[in-house]
């Protein structure tokens, strides 16, 4: 029962992250991230709550295997990549120079993390 509750919490946190970054284009997503980054970097980190939740789950289950570590590593890389973009934007480089192509973000792409990370969690705790 513990796994199911934690699984649904994971889904809720991923939905939250997808919704605060929500935009129809890649440039809009970067802009949403940059607005929060400019306000307060600590708030920016706190809003990536599923990263911290992944760390909690790793310690709670004492699970540092391939699947759980892969969630953590991908989330860490995502935040690092975004921070790199935020730093370049803070230095006055335009978003067009950082990311040369503005892609449309469909709802399937926007909410892909809501499917992938929780399912990977189920693999990590050997429920699938």
């Amino acid at each position: 029962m513990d796994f199911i509750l934690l699984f649904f919490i994971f889904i809720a946190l991923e939905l939250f992250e997808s919704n605060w970054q929500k935009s129809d284009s890649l440039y809009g997503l970067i802009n949403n991230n940059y607005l929060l980054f400019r306000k307060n970097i600590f708030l920016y980190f706190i809003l990536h709550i599923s990263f911290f939740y992944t760390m909690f789950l790793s310690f709670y289950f004492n699970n540092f295997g391939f699947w759980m570590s892969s969630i953590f590593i991908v989330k860490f890389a995502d935040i690092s990549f975004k921070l790199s973009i935020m730093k370049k934007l803070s230095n006055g480089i335009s978003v067009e120079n950082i990311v040369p192509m503005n892609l449309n973000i469909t709802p399937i792409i926007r909410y892909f993390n809501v499917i992938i990370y929780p399912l990977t969690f189920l693999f990590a705790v050997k429920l699938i």
Side-chain angles (χ1 to χ4, degrees), residues 93-107:
I93 300 172
S94 70
V95 71
E96 291 83 11
N97 289 336
I98 300 168
V99 182
M101 189 182 335
N102 189 13
L103 302 173
N104 290 329
I105 298 178
T106 63

Side-chain angles (χ1 to χ4, degrees), residues 21-29 102-106 110:
Q21 298 180 64
K22 187 177 184 178
S23 179
D24 293 332
S25 69
L26 183 59
Y27 288 173
L29 184 135
N102 189 13
L103 302 173
N104 290 329
I105 298 178
T106 63
R110 181 179 305 131

Side-chain angles (χ1 to χ4, degrees), residues 2-24:
D2 222 12
F3 298 108
I4 303 301
L5 177 62
L6 294 171
F7 173 73
F8 284 117
I9 291 171
F10 208 159
I11 290 173
L13 293 176
E14 289 295 337
L15 279 169
F16 170 75
E17 274 191 36
S18 291
N19 284 325
W20 78 259
Q21 298 180 64
K22 187 177 184 178
S23 179
D24 293 332

Side-chain angles (χ1 to χ4, degrees), residues 5-125:
L5 177 62
L6 294 171
F7 173 73
F8 284 117
I9 291 171
F10 208 159
I11 290 173
L13 293 176
E14 289 295 337
L15 279 169
F16 170 75
E17 274 191 36
S18 291
N19 284 325
W20 78 259
Q21 298 180 64
K22 187 177 184 178
S23 179
D24 293 332
S25 69
L26 183 59
Y27 288 173
L29 184 135
I30 292 170
N31 186 47
N32 290 343
N33 277 267
Y34 185 62
L35 290 174
L36 273 167
F37 177 82
R38 269 195 359 211
K39 275 186 184 176
N40 188 334
I41 192 166
F42 295 112
L43 177 63
Y44 183 73
F45 281 117
I46 290 170
L47 287 177
H48 285 88
I49 190 126
S50 67
F51 174 74
F52 299 106
Y53 187 68
T54 301
M55 286 193 309
F56 162 75
L57 290 174
S58 296
F59 285 102
Y60 182 76
F61 290 114
N62 195 24
N63 185 340
F64 302 98
F66 173 77
W67 292 109
M68 191 64 82
S69 295
S70 67
I71 297 170
F72 180 76
I73 289 168
V74 170
K75 287 191 167 293
F76 179 81
D78 176 53
I79 293 171
S80 298
F81 183 66
K82 287 178 187 173
L83 285 175
S84 172
I85 292 172
M86 300 304 119
K87 183 172 169 117
K88 289 177 182 177
L89 289 173
S90 295
N91 290 337
I93 300 172
S94 70
V95 71
E96 291 83 11
N97 289 336
I98 300 168
V99 182
M101 189 182 335
N102 189 13
L103 302 173
N104 290 329
I105 298 178
T106 63
I108 292 170
I109 294 171
R110 181 179 305 131
Y111 294 109
F112 196 62
N113 62 320
V114 177
I115 297 166
I116 293 300
Y117 292 125
L119 282 178
T120 306
F121 164 69
L122 291 179
F123 280 115
V125 294

